[in-house]
């Protein structure tokens, strides 16, 4: 919240000094440097008279790339949200708590048409009407299945269930994974849905990686294009018997994919965040940047607002609303002034 307010105030303060009216002039960048490293850039379209004045200010320069921020694509994504289906294994208690959080990232101009698949244990089928009602209340386009498997196995068997759904991309995640849909679509647009590759990230915690190994960690999101998904999903019955005793559903799915000669490719902007200590400064550090695709474990392993009496749902809601006020290229950017 503080970062968002700082950026908005900086934008407003700089804009006050520029003439209003036509934006037919040049686009200029306000660049902030610290120790010779680019900290932040802000883009402004200004009139020709203001442009000539701006050129005399050392910290401002002409932007030749269409946007100040290098490495941030503003091109229209190749895929739409309707090309994605997200699968989550969960419980009735978790649906009650998390449906409003899912709505934060499944709604909005970039998320129209995204589908989700929610699997629960068959013993909770008595709550089917309640679950479907909660999802409908939050305008979530989710299919609900009650399966006889425990949580970890349910996530794996959901893959086989999804053979009934046609999609370009199939994403498997924990129910407390938070996606940034515009960045997800940009990321998918750089990938090939027909490749024999699945995508994800490992844990930031070296002890977790040492203990469990290197594969796609589920909290960050496990992404399959259609081709890799079909090859892996058809193998679920056999690989369940082979890998059903493993610790987590994400490792099971990864091993199933490996057995089908599907390659794992790591994406830097998916974040597992197995961080159980004080993470004060994490979101201000630059580790999570404007290209962030997912975050995980907010409110369970760490607090989004350390020291504040804010529950996890309210915290992620505050952050989501603050970020919606900012252009995507300015999210999670530090301001040195």
């Amino acid at each position: 919240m503080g970062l968002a307010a700082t950026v908005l105030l900086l934008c407003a303060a700089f804009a006050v000094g520029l003439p209003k009216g036509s934006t037919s002039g040049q686009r200029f960048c306000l660049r902030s440097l610290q120790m010779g490293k680019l900290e932040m850039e802000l883009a402004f379209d200004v009139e020709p008279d203001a442009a000539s004045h701006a050129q005399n200010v050392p910290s401002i320069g002409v932007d030749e790339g269409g946007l100040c921020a290098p490495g941030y694509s503003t091109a229209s994504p190749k895929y739409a949200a309707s090309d994605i289906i997200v699968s989550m294994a969960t419980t009735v208690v978790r649906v009650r708590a998390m449906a409003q959080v899912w709505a934060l990232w499944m709604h909005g101009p970039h998320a129209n048409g995204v589908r989700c698949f929610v699997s629960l244990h068959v013993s909770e089928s008595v709550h089917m009407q309640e679950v479907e009602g909660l999802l409908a209340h939050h305008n979530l386009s989710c299919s609900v299945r009650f399966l006889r498997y425990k949580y970890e196995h349910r996530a794996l068997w959901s893959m086989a269930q999804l053979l009934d759904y046609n999609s370009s991309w199939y994403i498997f995640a924990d129910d407390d994974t938070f996606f940034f849909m515009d960045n997800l679509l940009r990321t998918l647009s750089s990938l090939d849905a027909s490749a024999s590759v699945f995508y994800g990230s490992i844990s930031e915690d070296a002890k977790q990686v040492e203990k469990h190994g290197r594969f796609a960690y589920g909290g960050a999101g496990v992404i399959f294009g259609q081709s890799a998904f079909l090859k892996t999903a058809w193998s679920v019955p056999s690989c369940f018997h082979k890998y059903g005793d493993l610790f987590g559903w994400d490792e099971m799915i990864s091993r199933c994919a490996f057995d089908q000669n599907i390659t794992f490719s790591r994406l830097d902007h998916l974040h597992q965040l197995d961080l159980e200590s004080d993470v004060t400064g994490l979101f201000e550090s630059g580790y999570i940047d404007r290209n962030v695709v997912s975050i995980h474990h907010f409110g369970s392993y760490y607090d989004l607002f350390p020291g504040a009496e804010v529950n996890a749902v309210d915290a992620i809601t505050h952050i989501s609303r603050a970020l919606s006020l900012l252009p995507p290229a300015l999210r999670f950017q530090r301001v040195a002034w």
Side-chain angles (χ1 to χ4, degrees):
M1 294 290 286
L3 175 59
T6 300
V7 173
L8 289 173
L9 287 173
L10 180 58
C11 289
F14 184 74
V16 165
L18 298 178
K20 296 181 180 179
S22 171
T23 58
S24 59
Q26 293 175 291
R27 171 167 285 192
F28 288 86
C29 296
L30 175 64
R31 291 187 170 92
S32 173
L33 303 176
Q34 183 174 352
M35 301 296 290
K37 182 180 179 181
L38 181 67
E39 286 288 297
M40 181 175 176
E41 297 180 315
L42 302 177
F44 298 93
D45 290 308
V46 298
E47 294 183 23
D49 289 343
S52 62
H53 171 73
Q55 285 175 329
N56 297 321
V57 181
S59 61
I60 297 178
V62 178
D63 170 44
E64 300 292 347
L67 185 75
C68 287
Y72 186 87
S73 172
T74 57
S76 298
K78 182 169 60 175
Y79 297 102
S82 57
D83 295 315
I84 299 170
I85 187 165
V86 181
S87 176
M88 298 175 288
T90 189
T91 65
V92 171
V93 170
R94 294 290 289 174
V95 173
R96 291 168 183 159
M98 299 302 293
Q100 67 187 91
V101 176
W102 301 340
L104 291 174
W105 58 265
M106 289 192 200
H107 289 170
H110 303 285
N112 291 333
V114 65
R115 294 165 293 163
C116 77
F117 182 93
V118 177
S119 63
L120 302 96
H121 192 265
V122 68
S123 65
E124 297 191 303
S125 60
V126 294
H127 299 284
M128 179 174 65
Q129 187 173 359
E130 178 191 358
V131 169
E132 292 180 340
L134 282 168
L135 297 173
H137 174 74
H138 292 285
N139 296 315
L140 296 172
S141 180
C142 297
S143 299
V144 180
R145 295 284 179 89
F146 293 89
L147 306 178
R148 61 185 177 86
Y149 304 100
K150 67 178 185 178
Y151 169 76
E152 303 292 352
H153 293 164
R154 198 160 64 245
L156 174 63
W157 277 99
S158 292
M159 193 172 219
Q161 297 283 322
L162 285 173
L163 285 167
D164 294 333
Y165 296 78
N166 183 45
S167 186
S168 296
W169 295 97
Y170 300 79
I171 301 178
F172 300 85
D174 285 341
D175 61 12
D176 61 343
T177 303
F178 190 96
F179 288 103
F180 297 82
M181 287 300 298
D182 49 354
N183 284 341
L184 174 60
L185 290 174
R186 289 189 185 92
T187 297
L188 294 180
S189 294
S190 68
L191 307 176
D192 183 0
S194 65
S196 292
V197 181
F198 73 109
Y199 305 90
S201 186
I202 63 173
S203 176
E204 294 84 354
D205 186 344
K207 292 182 179 178
Q208 292 287 335
V209 177
E210 181 180 353
K211 179 179 180 181
H212 298 294
R214 299 177 67 89
F215 52 86
Y217 281 60
V222 185
I223 302 173
F224 284 83
Q226 187 179 72
S227 178
F229 166 78
L230 291 174
K231 292 176 184 177
T232 307
W234 282 112
S235 74
V236 165
S238 60
C239 78
F240 169 71
H241 293 290
K242 186 174 182 180
Y243 298 119
D245 291 333
L246 294 179
F247 173 74
W249 66 264
D250 43 7
E251 184 177 3
M252 295 179 200
I253 284 180
S254 294
R255 300 298 174 193
C256 292
F258 294 151
D259 280 0
Q260 300 306 309
N261 295 315
I262 308 296
T263 303
F264 170 49
S265 180
R266 182 177 174 184
L267 299 178
D268 290 337
H269 300 295
L270 277 65
H271 299 290
Q272 172 75 11
L273 297 181
D274 289 328
L275 306 173
E276 297 187 79
S277 57
D278 184 355
V279 297
T280 301
L282 174 68
F283 290 89
E284 297 88 348
S285 68
Y287 171 67
I288 296 175
D289 66 11
R290 59 184 158 231
N291 294 299
V292 58
V293 172
S294 66
I295 61 174
H296 180 228
H297 281 325
F298 54 89
S300 56
Y301 277 43
Y302 59 89
D303 293 323
L304 287 168
F305 294 94
E309 295 183 0
V310 182
N311 66 48
V313 173
D314 288 343
I316 195 66
T317 300
H318 290 324
I319 289 178
S320 178
R321 289 174 178 172
L323 292 176
S324 70
L325 300 174
L326 295 171
L330 300 184
R331 295 173 186 165
F332 297 111
Q333 297 303 290
R334 293 168 290 172
V335 178
W337 197 253

